[in-house]
Amino acid sequence: LLPTDLQPSGALLEKEAALFSEREPAAPGLLQRLRSLALQLLEKLRQKRDARFEAELAREEEAFPDALSPEEEALLGELSPEQPEGAAGLPAEAARKPALLRSLQKLPAQAGILLEKLGQKQAVHPAAEKAEPAAEQPASGQEARPVAREEPVSGREEADFSHINQLVEHPALQPRELIPAEPAPQKKSRPLWWVLGIGALLLLLGLGAGLLWYKEPLRSFERAYSAGDYAQALNVYSQRIRGDAEKAAAVQAQLEAEAALIYGEYLRESSSREEAEAALQRLSNFPFVDDCRVEYLAQIEAMEASRLAFAQMEEAMSRGEYTEVIALAEQVLPEDGNHAAALSLREQAVEAQSEFMLQQARSLLELGNYDEAFAKITAAEEQLGALPQFESARADAYQYINNQALDEAAAMAAQNNYSAALSRLQKAAEYLGEEHSSQELLHKIDVYISYIPVSLLELSYESMDCREDDQLYRSYHLTDNQGSSYSSSISMSAGSVTYALNGKYRSLSGVVGFPAEASSTALAPSARLEIYGDGALIWSSGEISAAVSPQNLWVDVQPYEKISLKWVCTGLGLWNSWGYYATLFSPSLQPVPLE
């Protein structure tokens, strides 16, 4: 039934009583300590019900409940120091140690009553512990019982009970004694006139200080200005403040701060333009802040223009006038509350306008107007700025030109018109330049070239074997004896010429015939053309004279690194210089195709 914080102490008390119940002889020192411990527990319970220890209860509220439980009330009643009716004194059996200790084991129900009685008895007979106890008179009808004599406790027994001493001396079990309050010292009375004098002096000092504060120039200026008496405020400034640089600066700062506040409320749209201008007009009564006032009036004017520009931006955006939106965005001031919205509208307009102009450029590209398409992209870049989409559009235009040229050339090549296909690609490459021509386009140019025959005259000969006075004729004769005309020809008075083909060409073709300009004689009747591949004869025209018709030439030259053309004269002439009788008209080499 003990409170939670006292249960360990009560349990230890019962345990110690049980341990020492078997010890003999009785130990008065031990009994005194046990009694003291029980009284400590009793005092703790009394303190919980005593209202005079509220402060102490507040500090120990975690250890004790706010009020006694019914069980604690019953325990406190059982441990009451009052003796029950009919109890004249301590029974004789209580003087014996085993019996007393057995009673202590019944704590907290009976231990308090027994120990309280023992305490009362010792209070009546203070010397009872030193003298031998007398036999207690038996009650009527009862026999007298001898009282056990308390023997002094030896040093060894004291050492055995040291843990009981520790329990009794624990700070939580120490009784707290009430400290009587000292009487409050009596204050000496002072004469009433002395108190009244001090009060009057303080009142006069306060009135003087208040009057000085009220008459202070800055306060006077503030009162006149707040009351709207600007003439009086200017008068106070001119007569009492202007000469004091510090106070004059304070007044100027105050008025400039008010002007800034007026402009700030206008920016937050807490006041209209008219209200802000009227409020700033009040400051015109003070010339020393005219610069500040005029500046804020100008800012209000600029802000009105900025707000008007934003309203016009919204209208232009709804109409799709993106160029106008972009131009008006520059007129919206950064301090305008609409500035963020204006930037957002401008971004939308730039995006829409750039897409519109790029679409125009793509249409021009499809029509083949490349110059106009690039001019449109450049104009968009100048108007809207160097945006990433413009650089991307320019790269797309170059790629479009490449792809368009390749597609058209492929269609021409499919019809074996390699010359036209080659011309189309070469034109595109010339327009794009090396920087913007794709690798595929450049490769296709080489491919189509490989399909186009090459005039033998376009090649440089590697060597020529002839006499010193012999001549090589290049396109000298362009008509044969049948009247056919040719664009080129090759012949020689006598001797041979060698070309390095290096396996790049598949065939040599042309027409071998007697030139119309020549005439044969009996001494120089004919000539023949022989073709050698890497030194071996691979073709011969036979005897060509004025009476022989022209003949076609086609020779497979792909296996050979070099070919030689040799003109041989026949007849009885001494000089042998009419090899041109066998002129090769339109000599053409067919390249080996790359694909």
Side-chain angles (χ1 to χ4, degrees), residues 72-136:
E72 291 173 342
E73 291 283 358
L75 177 61
L76 188 63
E78 291 181 3
L79 296 181
S80 175
E82 299 180 1
Q83 296 182 4
E85 296 181 3
L90 192 66
E93 290 83 353
R96 301 178 63 234
K97 175 186 176 184
L100 181 58
L101 292 179
R102 282 193 298 272
S103 299
L104 290 175
Q105 293 177 1
K106 299 178 181 181
L107 281 175
Q110 291 86 10
I113 299 175
L114 296 177
L115 294 178
E116 189 67 25
K117 290 180 179 180
L118 180 59
Q120 293 174 358
K121 185 173 182 180
Q122 289 181 348
V124 176
H125 304 286
E129 290 184 358
K130 295 182 180 180
E132 292 185 8
E136 185 179 17

Side-chain angles (χ1 to χ4, degrees), residues 5-124:
D5 58 335
L6 296 181
Q7 287 179 3
S9 300
L12 183 59
L13 176 63
E14 292 181 359
K15 179 179 179 181
E16 294 299 334
L19 289 175
F20 300 131
S21 62
E22 305 299 330
R23 300 185 64 87
E24 291 293 346
L30 173 61
L31 296 179
Q32 182 65 21
R33 288 173 176 80
L34 295 177
R35 185 179 70 84
S36 176
L37 179 59
L39 290 177
Q40 295 278 354
L41 298 175
L42 178 63
E43 185 63 18
K44 288 289 183 179
L45 290 174
R46 286 174 176 171
Q47 290 177 358
K48 283 179 66 67
R49 200 170 63 177
D50 196 340
R52 294 175 299 174
F53 293 95
E54 291 180 357
E56 181 176 353
L57 289 175
R59 293 192 302 270
E60 298 178 357
E61 63 182 356
E62 294 184 359
F64 294 95
D66 293 338
L68 292 176
S69 63
E71 292 81 1
E72 291 173 342
E73 291 283 358
L75 177 61
L76 188 63
E78 291 181 3
L79 296 181
S80 175
E82 299 180 1
Q83 296 182 4
E85 296 181 3
L90 192 66
E93 290 83 353
R96 301 178 63 234
K97 175 186 176 184
L100 181 58
L101 292 179
R102 282 193 298 272
S103 299
L104 290 175
Q105 293 177 1
K106 299 178 181 181
L107 281 175
Q110 291 86 10
I113 299 175
L114 296 177
L115 294 178
E116 189 67 25
K117 290 180 179 180
L118 180 59
Q120 293 174 358
K121 185 173 182 180
Q122 289 181 348
V124 176

Side-chain angles (χ1 to χ4, degrees), residues 193-345:
W193 63 267
W194 188 82
V195 176
L196 294 176
I198 293 178
L201 178 60
L202 294 176
L203 180 59
L204 290 175
L205 291 176
L207 290 175
L211 183 60
L212 292 176
W213 179 86
Y214 186 80
K215 291 294 185 180
E216 202 273 331
L218 292 179
R219 306 285 86 75
S220 300
F221 179 85
E222 290 177 0
R223 286 194 303 275
Y225 183 80
S226 300
D229 191 354
Y230 304 121
Q232 176 62 23
L234 183 61
N235 184 48
V236 172
Y237 176 82
S238 300
Q239 296 181 3
R240 304 176 59 188
I241 296 178
R242 181 184 297 172
D244 189 333
E246 182 177 356
K247 293 181 180 178
V251 170
Q252 184 174 353
Q254 177 184 353
L255 296 181
E256 290 177 352
E258 182 174 355
L261 180 62
I262 294 171
Y263 181 69
E265 291 178 351
Y266 168 76
L267 284 182
R268 295 189 296 272
E269 299 184 4
S270 300
S271 61
S272 64
R273 173 184 181 178
E274 292 74 14
E275 292 173 344
E277 289 179 344
L280 288 173
Q281 188 62 29
R282 294 197 301 266
L283 297 179
S284 63
N285 296 283
F286 306 97
F288 52 89
V289 292
D290 274 349
D291 293 343
C292 176
R293 180 180 62 84
V294 171
E295 180 181 355
Y296 281 122
L297 287 174
Q299 292 184 13
I300 290 176
E301 186 70 23
M303 186 57 62
E304 284 296 314
S306 174
R307 292 174 178 176
L308 178 60
F310 179 72
Q312 294 174 347
M313 282 183 65
E314 292 181 318
E315 295 178 1
M317 191 69 181
S318 64
R319 298 192 306 267
E321 300 290 342
Y322 304 125
T323 304
E324 184 179 353
V325 172
I326 296 169
L328 288 172
E330 304 299 328
Q331 303 177 25
V332 180
L333 299 176
E335 57 269 22
D336 191 344
N338 300 317
H339 186 254
L343 291 179
S344 178
L345 283 179

Side-chain angles (χ1 to χ4, degrees), residues 382-402:
E382 292 175 353
Q383 179 182 351
L384 305 177
L387 301 178
Q389 54 262 42
F390 296 144
E391 189 62 30
S392 177
R394 188 174 282 107
D396 292 342
Y398 288 129
Q399 186 62 41
Y400 177 85
I401 295 174
N402 278 278

